[in-house]
Amino acid sequence: MASTTRPAPTVGFDLDMTLIDSRPGIRACYLELSARTGTYVDADLAVTRLGPPLAEELANWFPAGEIEAVADLYREIYPVYAIEPTLALPGAREAVAAVREAGGRAIVVTAKYEPNAKLHLAHLGIEPDAVIGGLWAEQKAVALREHDADVYVGDHVGDVRGARAAGARSVAVASGPCAAEELRAAGADVVLADLTAFPRWLAAYRDGEGDTEGLDAARA
C-alpha cells in the first residue's frame, strides 16, 4: 500500500535525561549547595528523580520558607558546577539533526531554568531552533502549541502528559527515571529505548507508518 508522507514536523524535546545526562553535573551542584547552606542533600538520590521542577526536589530538604532563596542560589552556582560534567546522551545530536534533515524544526521545552538550559546546549554543540524553560508536565503544552509541535519527545511521565495536553504525539524514551512500562501506562504513543532509535522512527512516521511500534529494534 502506498504511504503518505507527512509534512516536515516540528519536534519538541525535553532536556534532562532526554537530550543530556545531567546527573553528574546536578550531583556536583547539590553537593556544593549542601556545603554552602549547611543542609544535607542526598545528591545521589536527587539525581535519580530528575524531571519535576527544582522546587519540588528542594522541598525534600529545606523548609518551605527557604526554598525560593535556595533555588536562587542553586541556579546561581549551577553554571560553575553543572555544565562541564554534563554529557549528551547517545543519539541526541543525531535526533535533532534528523528533524532538521526532514525540513522540520527542533525545539527544547524543559522545566529547567532557561538560561542554564541554553548553557548546556551551547556547551554540547546542540543547536535547536528555540529553547523554552521553566515548564513542567501539562505546562509544556503552552510552548508546544505556540510552536505548533507535532511530536514531543521526553523521558518522564510528565513529558507524556505535556504532549497529550498539547495534542502532540508523545514519543517517550526510556533513558530517564521512568521505565518503559510506566511511560506506556501514562499514555505514550511510542516508547523507544533511547534517542538512537529516533531517526528511524521519524523516517517511518513521516512515511505514514503510524507509531511504528512494530520496529522491534527501536522499541524499549
Side-chain angles (χ1 to χ4, degrees), residues 171-174 184 190-202 211-220:
V171 175
V173 284
R184 289 191 185 94
V190 62
V191 180
L192 306 177
D194 56 37
L195 284 178
T196 61
F198 181 80
R200 184 182 178 203
W201 176 85
L202 181 64
D211 294 313
T212 63
E213 276 279 19
L215 294 177
D216 291 337
R219 295 182 65 182

Side-chain angles (χ1 to χ4, degrees), residues 15-16 20-22 25-26 78 82-87 112-126:
L15 185 62
D16 290 304
I20 66 174
D21 184 354
S22 51
I26 290 177
Y78 192 96
I83 302 301
E84 184 69 28
T86 292
L87 304 173
K112 190 179 291 298
Y113 181 54
E114 188 173 305
N116 288 339
K118 290 178 176 178
L119 287 175
H120 274 305
L121 293 164
H123 177 72
L124 294 170
I126 300 173

Side-chain angles (χ1 to χ4, degrees), residues 109 135 137-146 161-163 165-167:
V109 183
L135 300 176
E138 288 83 357
Q139 296 170 348
K140 294 187 175 189
V142 175
L144 294 172
R145 289 196 197 99
E146 180 181 344
R161 301 203 315 263

Side-chain angles (χ1 to χ4, degrees), residues 6-140:
R6 291 183 169 97
T10 294
V11 177
F13 293 91
D14 175 51
L15 185 62
D16 290 304
M17 303 312 300
T18 298
L19 289 173
I20 66 174
D21 184 354
S22 51
R23 291 173 298 182
I26 290 177
R27 181 181 183 276
C29 198
Y30 274 126
L31 290 174
E32 179 63 18
L33 185 71
S34 226
R36 293 199 185 196
T37 61
T39 298
Y40 174 72
V41 176
D42 187 337
D44 293 314
L45 175 60
V47 298
T48 67
R49 48 195 187 197
L50 300 181
L54 172 63
E56 291 191 18
E57 183 59 45
L58 294 179
N60 294 307
W61 314 105
F62 295 90
E66 296 180 13
I67 289 175
E68 184 175 353
V70 173
D72 287 343
L73 175 59
Y74 176 95
R75 295 184 184 110
E76 177 186 334
I77 66 176
Y78 192 96
V80 176
Y81 292 92
I83 302 301
E84 184 69 28
T86 292
L87 304 173
L89 280 166
R93 295 182 180 90
E94 294 82 356
V96 172
V99 177
R100 294 273 181 73
E101 289 165 6
R105 298 177 71 247
I107 66 173
V108 171
V109 183
T110 173
K112 190 179 291 298
Y113 181 54
E114 188 173 305
N116 288 339
K118 290 178 176 178
L119 287 175
H120 274 305
L121 293 164
H123 177 72
L124 294 170
I126 300 173
E127 300 180 353
D129 295 283
V131 180
I132 306 96
L135 300 176
W136 163 241
E138 288 83 357
Q139 296 170 348
K140 294 187 175 189

